[in-house]
Amino acid sequence: MIRCNEPLAKHTTLRVGGPADIYVEPASEQDLAAVLAYCHRHGWQLFVVGRGSNLLVRDHGFRGVVISLAQPQFSRIEVMGERLICGAGAKLKMVAVEAKHNGLAGLEFLEGIPGSLGGGLRMNAGAMGGALFDVVESVRLMSFDGIAHERTAQDMTVDYRSCPTLKDHIALSAVLCGQAGSREEIEQRMNEYSRKRWQSQPAAPSAGCTFKNPASIPAGKLIDELGLKGSRIGGALVSTEHGNFIVNDGTATARDVLALMEVIRQRVRAERGIELETEVEIIGE
Ligand code: EPU
C-alpha cells in the first residue's frame, strides 16, 4: 500500500505532526527490499515508523518515505516451546497476551508498552523494571541495502532505551524467550502491572515518557519537584498525573510540544544542573 502526502499525526499516539511525502506499507520482505532500493536510487530519506508511540513528528511533516510494517505478514506471532517468533509489526501487548495464553512467564511487562515489537526493539523499550532485550534471543534484520540476516541479541549493541544497531537496520522479526509458568500467576502479574500503570500514567494522547531518566533521579519526579506539572503551551501540557508525560488536549501542535519540552529542559538545567536527554524520537521539519 502506497499513499502520498499521508498525515503522520494519525500514525502517532501523540496525534501531532505534518504529512509524509510518501507512506508505504510493504506486504512482504521482497516489497520492503524493493522500497529500500528505490529510496537508495532516488536519494530519498527514509524512516520506519512502528505504532508511533514514542514519536514526535514536526508540523511540516517528513520529506521522504515513511515505511510501516503494519501489514499482516509482519505481525505474526508463532509459539515454539518457550520461544515466541514475533514479526516486527506485532503489538507488544499482543506478544504479552500470546505468552500468557501459552503459559509463558517473563514477558508480562510488555502488556502496557503501547508500541510494536520493531519500535520497541529500536529503543529497547521497557516497563516495570524489565526491558525488551532482557527477553530477546535473536533478531532478524534488514540492512538498508535490502539484505536480510539474523543476529543474536549478544551481537547487537543495546543500551538503556536505545539499540544503536537498529539505527541503520530494520528489524523484521525477533525470537523472544519466556519460561513455562502458571497461567493464573502470569495473569495476576499482568493485571498488577496494568493497575500500576493506570494509577500513575495519563490516558490522554501522549508519546509516553518524554525524557530518559537521568542516573540520579527519575525525570518524572524531577519535573514534579520543580512544580511543572500542569504547565501548558498551546494544546500541550505536562500531565498532572505523571511529570514525564506531555499530553495533547486535542489542539496541540508539534511546535507546542517542542516548546514545552524546552521550558522543562531549561528549568531542570537552571535549578538542578541536570541535562535531560529526550527519549521521544523527533523527526520531520
Ligand atoms: N514520580 C513522582 N512524580 C511524578 C512521576 C513519578 O514523584 O509525576 C516518582 C514515582 O512516585 C516513583 C518514581 O518517580 O517513585 C518513578 O516513577 P515511575 O514508577 O512512574 O517510573 P518512571 O521511571 O517515571 C519508567 C519508564 C516508563 C515505564 C514506567 C513503569 C523511563 C523514562 N520511563 O517510568 O516508560 O512505563 O517506568 O515501569 O524509563 C516510556 O519509556 O515511555 C515509559 C513510559
Side-chain angles (χ1 to χ4, degrees), residues 161-206:
R161 293 296 183 272
S162 126
C163 174
T165 307
L166 289 170
K167 294 246 178 283
D168 52 7
H169 290 83
I170 299 172
L172 301 170
S173 64
V175 179
L176 311 191
C177 283
Q179 310 95 42
S182 134
R183 228 182 276 188
E184 288 70 35
E185 282 171 24
I186 295 168
E187 177 141 28
Q188 267 170 19
R189 269 193 295 275
M190 278 172 73
N191 290 341
E192 178 62 11
Y193 289 165
S194 169
R195 194 187 56 76
K196 272 196 190 153
R197 192 165 36 79
W198 285 113
Q199 256 173 14
S200 60
Q201 298 183 3
S206 77

Side-chain angles (χ1 to χ4, degrees), residues 75-81 83-86 90-105 107-108 110-111 176 183 186 190:
S75 305
R76 292 193 193 131
I77 302 174
E78 203 183 318
V79 180
M80 289 174 76
R83 293 183 167 80
L84 292 104
I85 300 133
C86 309
K91 288 184 190 171
L92 289 170
K93 188 181 187 70
M94 289 315 295
V95 175
V97 166
E98 206 55 42
K100 179 184 75 177
H101 283 159
N102 287 277
L104 290 176
L107 297 123
E108 298 88 340
L110 298 176
E111 79 60 52
L176 311 191
R183 228 182 276 188
I186 295 168
M190 278 172 73

Side-chain angles (χ1 to χ4, degrees), residues 115-159:
S116 65
L117 174 72
L121 289 167
R122 194 165 71 209
M123 61 169 300
N124 190 21
M128 307 297 155
L132 188 49
F133 269 93
D134 300 346
V135 294
V136 172
E137 184 175 87
S138 61
V139 182
R140 188 169 154 76
L141 306 158
M142 189 176 276
S143 46
F144 288 166
D145 57 9
I147 311 287
H149 63 284
E150 187 138 342
R151 280 214 205 159
T152 61
Q154 285 92 327
D155 277 348
M156 299 175 71
T157 319
V158 178
D159 300 318

Side-chain angles (χ1 to χ4, degrees), residues 53-54 112-114 123 125-130 160-161 197 200-201 207-213 217-225 229 239-245 279-280:
S53 56
N54 191 52
I113 304 179
M123 61 169 300
M128 307 297 155
Y160 164 62
R161 293 296 183 272
R197 192 165 36 79
S200 60
Q201 298 183 3
C209 281
T210 313
F211 301 104
K212 294 184 182 179
N213 280 340
I217 180 174
K221 187 166 198 287
L222 180 56
I223 293 163
D224 193 356
E225 284 179 5
K229 279 167 134 182
S239 164
T240 51
E241 283 142 293
H242 194 299
N244 200 12
F245 283 68
E279 181 188 296
V280 169

